Every structure is written in C-alpha cells, then in structure tokens.
Amino acid sequence: MLKFDKLSLNIPETTKPRVVVIGGGFGGINLVKKLKNKGFQIVMFDKQNYHGFWPLLYQVATAGLEPDAIAEPLRKLFDEDYDDFHFRLVRVTGVDPARKVVTTLIGELHYDYLVISTGTKANFFGNEQVQKFSFPLKTIPEALNLRSQLLQSFEQASITRDPVAQESLLNFVIVGGGPTGVEVAGSIAEMRKHVLPGDYPGLDFSRMKIYLIEGLDRVLPPMSPEASKKTHEYLEKMGILIRLNTLVENYDGETVTLKGGEQIRTQTVIWAAGVTGALIDGLPKEVVARGGRLLVDRYNQVEGFPGLFAIGDIALMKTDKYPNGHPGLAQPAIQQGQHLAKNLVRMVRNEKPEEFEYFDKGSLAIIGRSRAVADLPGNVHMGGFLAWVTWLFVHIYYLVGFRSKLIVLSNWAYRLFTYERGTRLIIRPFVRKDDKEAQEFVMKNELG
Ligand SMILES: Cc1cc2nc3c(=O)[nH]c(=O)nc-3n(C[C@H](O)[C@H](O)[C@H](O)COP(=O)(O)OP(=O)(O)OC[C@H]3O[C@@H](n4cnc5c(N)ncnc54)[C@H](O)[C@@H]3O)c2cc1C
C-alpha cells in the first residue's frame, strides 16, 4: 500500500508563471486549450483522470452508451504537444490564498494564478435519509450504479412472486423536473416501450410506473414556458406520471413520502433535484454565495483575492442580465475558460484584462426518440423532430474527441433503426453498503 507521506506532487520548479487549474471539466479544459504554449507552466489537478461529457450521462445510466463514449482521458487531451503541462490525479483539499498554495493529500503547491473549476455536486438539502437511499446522477460511477439498479430491478421483478415487492421494483421515481430529470424519465419510458417487453416476456409492463416529481409549477423550469408546455405534453404521451408543485418529504429506501401525503412504494429514487458548488476549503464565507458558488467579478476573479479565479458552475458572476449568475450549463463554463485564458495572457503582458460577456447560444432538452425542445436566441422556440435533430448535432459537435463522436454516432444510428440498447449489462451489481442480505445473495450466486 502506498503511503501518502512518501508521495509528492513532483512538479518541476519553474521561472514561468505557474497556473494551477483545479478541475478538468468544461471550464478547465477550455482554459488549458487556449493557454497552450503561451509561456505558462500549467498544472491541472482532478480527482478523476478524464473529462466527462455530462449532458450524455443519463444515456450511460439508461443503458444507451458505455462510459468510454462520454469520457476522454485528460492526459490524452493534453499530450506532449503541450509544453510544460502537468496533470496529477489527486483531489484538492484546500487553498491558502495568503501563501498562494493549494493543498492535496500528497502535498502542496505554490501558484501564481489559481483557477477553481470544480463544478457542482448533488444537493440533498440536508435530508440524510434521502441522500442515503436515492441515486444521484453526477458522475460515471453513479450512472453505472443506476444502470445496475434499473436492470437488477427487472431481473428481481421477474423472479419474485410477491406482488407488493414487484410493484415496488417496477415503480421508478425521478425527483427534479429539470433537463436531467426529464431526460432520464423519457429514456426509461423508451426502454419500457421498446426494449423491456422483449427482454422480460413474463413481466407485465403496463404495471411499470415512472413518476416525475417537480417542486415548481412546470417541468423544465430553466427553459421557456413554451418548452415546458411541450415537454409536459410529450412526457404525458409517454405515460410518465408528473407531479408538479410537489416536494419530497422523505424516502426510507422502501417508500417515498411526498409533501401533501402521497406515498409511493419504490426501490429506485433518482435524485436530479439540485446541486451545490463543489467548494474547496480555505476561502472565507464572504465569497461563498447562494448554491455554494464563489462570488467573482467580471474578470472571474474571486472577489478580494488577486490571482485567484473561479469559472464555470462554481462561479457566480452577477451582471445586469444575469443578476443571479449565469445558468449552470456547459456554455458559460466553456466561454469563461476561454475568456480567462486570454485575460491571463493579457495580465502577464501588463495589458488590461477584458470583462466577460456571456453569449447565450440557447438551450436544448431531449425527451425521447424524435422529441426534443429548443430555446434559441431571438426568442425562437422549437419542438419535435427538428429540435431533436438539432439536439443530436449539437451534442456530437461538442463531444470531446473524435473517438467519442464516432462511438456515440454509431450507437445512435444503430439504435435509430433497431430500437436496441446494447449496454444492458450488469457488470458490477449495485448493492447498498448496509444491505447484508443482498450482499450475501450476490456473493453466493457469484454475480459480481
Ligand atoms: C447529468 C447532467 C446533465 C447535464 N446536461 C447538460 C446539458 O444538456 N447541457 C448543458 O449545457 N449542461 C448540462 N449539464 C451541466 C454541465 O455539465 C455543467 O454546467 C458543466 O459541466 C460545468 O462545467 P465545469 O467545468 O464548471 O464543471 P465540471 O464539468 O463538472 O467539472 C468539474 C471537474 O472538477 C473536478 N473536481 C471537483 N472537485 C475537485 C477537487 N476537490 N479536486 C480535484 N478535482 C475536483 C471534477 O472531477 C470534474 O472533473 C449537465 C450536468 C449533469 C450533471
């Protein structure tokens, strides 16, 4: 076993200005691409060794894509063509702005410029019970847990003779009617229609229920009312049971209790209801705003800390047009990363940095086969097939790496004609840590 005190970050000393980037997400990778060979030493820390394309994560969770289709190794993205670039697979635990150092479990590193691009994590609003039993969808391991859980539920439903247990296994509750919740609900509904009856001929899928629970008065609240209305219609047509203005009060692993009293028996609650900033310790609470985001000025500098920047989901930049900050989408992160890179070059040349201006390219959500909605610049709203084709092209265009584009495109084309989902594999069964009985079952049957 490696001992942490025997390890070191092993970053060469340099006379160049050192930029330390925490996070290889949309913000981080676009910053580094634009800083390529511009006279900096660049050090990137991430707790995973890949860049994840989260807009397609739900397809991994619902057996549409394998994880390698949506992930690109960071070392491959920033290969030997990048002079003086250093990646370290490590979690950053703290920052000390007074000494200008970042701390990790295997040592600390001095920075001249620090860019925090750590994104967000799931927010359970302090409800520990819900956190313990539900499935968040923010990382690839979480998506694989959910994929296993979905497939295991059908396997178990097909071998139980207990109608109550079967009901619970065939009920799926998705909490949060934002883009992720809607996309997951739509995708599970498509499985119910096209895939599952063939796989499990003995199961009656008219008994399988998919609930979508939203606290506000419409689905897709970040999008336009037109997009919400269309999406609501599409979801209902697909047989999804929508509860609006409804909050989840509790989930004990067996039953979801909604505020208002309704109870749903289920083994699977998918949590897509909220996120909070993935903060790094060491910054004062004055710079932490609503949603755990870091308050930054128009140059993405954390307020009051020269040389320390935050970009993407973790950053909250208040502007006249966006008084609550930019939306938590890939585009603001990409644009802030690119813009900050240009500003860093300006700063070392003693030129004046420029203020960030967000260019809204619109937003899209997919509900299922041939059904999507789009809000485009100029107050243009689209739905149906045209929006669906737009969604496909935009996602292929922004996917990182030619290999991923090719895999995703071929998977989608295959699925379009066959309705197949080739990745219905339980590679690593999901078993709750405290469920001894299930652990024993998996071990005895050598399932995992
Ligand atoms: C399921 C899902 C679906 C989405 N769908 C869409 C969509 O359809 N369209 C859209 O525009 N946006 C979508 N988003 C939002 C979009 O992915 C984010 O807005 C975007 O990823 C933000 O980029 P970022 O660089 O700020 O953070 P991220 O891309 O999340 O990257 C953060 C990185 O920081 C790393 N990190 C975090 N903490 C530490 C630490 N302490 N030490 C080291 N590394 C750390 C993480 O491992 C990660 O690699 C979706 C998000 C999710 C989760």
Side-chain angles (χ1 to χ4, degrees):
M1 183 69 188
L2 288 173
K3 292 219 172 358
F4 287 124
D5 57 3
K6 296 255 178 356
L7 304 175
S8 92
L9 289 170
N10 203 16
I11 305 292
E13 288 300 320
T14 180
T15 51
K16 296 179 197 165
R18 179 184 282 154
V19 182
V20 174
V21 185
I22 315 174
F26 283 97
I29 65 162
N30 281 286
L31 174 103
V32 174
K33 280 183 188 171
K34 276 270 180 286
L35 274 189
K36 182 179 177 186
N37 305 346
K38 293 277 189 322
F40 294 91
Q41 182 186 66
I42 305 171
V43 179
M44 175 178 272
F45 293 129
D46 202 307
K47 58 190 170 65
Q48 55 200 25
N49 77 334
Y50 51 84
H51 164 76
F53 190 79
W54 310 133
L56 293 182
L57 189 64
Y58 82 95
Q59 297 210 1
V60 174
T62 52
L65 291 171
E66 278 296 351
D68 69 333
I70 66 154
E72 197 68 8
L74 287 163
R75 284 185 185 274
K76 183 178 160 219
L77 271 179
F78 305 119
D79 57 12
E80 67 275 7
D81 289 349
Y82 282 74
D83 290 342
D84 218 352
F85 170 83
H86 309 271
F87 172 74
R88 294 293 178 266
L89 177 65
V90 72
R91 195 171 80 83
V92 173
T93 49
V95 51
D96 182 348
R99 290 194 300 131
K100 285 199 152 187
V101 294
V102 290
T103 322
T104 74
L105 278 185
I106 51 173
E108 51 179 46
L109 186 72
H110 179 269
Y111 63 81
D112 297 298
Y113 301 101
L114 175 64
V115 184
I116 302 179
S117 181
T118 46
T120 54
K121 56 184 184 180
N123 186 4
F124 294 89
F125 306 101
N127 193 327
E128 284 174 21
Q129 281 285 95
V130 172
Q131 179 166 4
K132 182 170 172 193
F133 293 112
S134 61
F135 289 84
L137 189 54
K138 285 284 301 167
T139 65
I140 286 179
E142 286 169 356
L144 290 175
N145 281 346
L146 180 54
R147 181 174 92 181
S148 293
Q149 169 71 9
L150 293 174
L151 299 171
Q152 282 167 232
S153 299
F154 304 124
E155 292 298 336
Q156 287 169 7
S158 69
I159 54 175
T160 181
R161 275 188 247 127
D162 177 351
V164 176
Q166 201 173 56
E167 179 198 342
S168 166
L169 288 160
L170 292 178
N171 278 346
F172 297 90
V173 176
I174 298 136
V175 187
T180 301
V182 162
E183 287 169 356
V184 172
S187 195
I188 298 178
E190 298 254 288
M191 283 177 87
R192 174 176 62 183
K193 187 168 176 201
H194 298 298
V195 178
L196 299 172
D199 276 8
Y200 303 91
L203 275 180
D204 172 9
F205 282 97
S206 66
R207 293 179 53 217
M208 173 176 163
K209 294 202 178 92
I210 306 162
Y211 295 86
L212 183 66
I213 317 286
E214 167 56 45
L216 297 178
D217 60 359
R218 60 187 177 104
V219 292
L220 285 188
M223 292 186 71
S224 64
E226 290 84 350
S228 294
K229 191 167 168 277
K230 263 203 184 86
T231 302
H232 196 113
E233 286 166 18
Y234 291 152
L235 290 169
E236 281 194 327
K237 259 196 202 134
M238 294 167 89
I240 291 158
L241 305 165
I242 305 170
R243 303 279 188 274
L244 297 177
N245 297 307
T246 305
L247 295 174
V248 168
E249 203 164 68
N250 202 11
Y251 176 51
D252 60 6
E254 298 292 332
T255 306
V256 182
T257 306
L258 305 179
K259 266 206 176 113
E262 187 182 358
Q263 293 198 316
I264 305 164
R265 217 190 293 270
T266 179
Q267 295 294 306
T268 312
V269 170
I270 301 163
W271 190 257
V275 291
T276 184
L279 286 168
I280 305 283
D281 283 349
L283 292 170
K285 63 176 187 317
E286 290 73 42
V287 297
V288 181
R290 246 184 62 217
R293 297 170 83 184
L294 293 170
L295 280 168
V296 297
D297 62 18
R298 294 296 299 267
Y299 309 96
N300 281 97
Q301 182 181 285
V302 178
E303 288 183 355
F305 292 95
L308 201 166
F309 302 88
I311 56 174
D313 280 3
I314 187 80
L316 186 99
M317 182 190 292
K318 292 182 185 177
T319 65
D320 291 343
K321 200 164 170 207
Y322 298 96
N324 297 318
H326 298 102
L329 293 172
Q331 273 303 321
I334 293 171
Q335 293 177 29
Q336 287 181 358
Q338 293 171 340
H339 185 81
L340 178 57
K342 287 187 201 151
N343 270 346
L344 289 177
V345 173
R346 287 188 191 104
M347 282 177 212
V348 292
R349 291 182 185 154
N350 285 324
E351 293 168 12
K352 202 173 166 318
E354 285 178 6
E355 290 191 345
F356 174 74
E357 208 61 65
Y358 175 51
F359 175 59
D360 183 3
K361 295 185 177 171
S363 37
L364 295 153
I366 189 167
I367 299 102
R369 202 184 168 84
S370 310
R371 291 186 180 115
V373 287
D375 288 338
L376 300 176
N379 228 2
V380 177
H381 310 290
M382 260 187 341
F385 185 73
L386 202 57
W388 181 70
V389 174
T390 311
W391 185 96
L392 296 183
F393 276 106
V394 167
H395 283 73
I396 289 292
Y397 180 78
Y398 280 105
L399 251 178
V400 176
F402 180 69
R403 189 191 56 92
S404 297
K405 287 181 203 279
L406 206 63
I407 301 177
V408 172
L409 204 59
S410 57
N411 257 277
W412 286 352
Y414 180 66
R415 234 159 76 195
L416 187 67
F417 296 110
T418 62
Y419 290 87
E420 247 300 335
R421 285 188 195 214
T423 66
R424 300 193 298 282
L425 309 171
I426 307 171
I427 305 274
R428 187 194 58 178
F430 175 76
V431 180
R432 287 204 175 93
K433 281 194 190 94
D434 55 356
D435 192 342
K436 295 275 175 286
E437 212 177 310
Q439 276 168 13
E440 215 172 289
F441 182 83
V442 167
M443 295 276 284
K444 277 190 182 154
N445 284 285
E446 296 180 27
L447 297 179

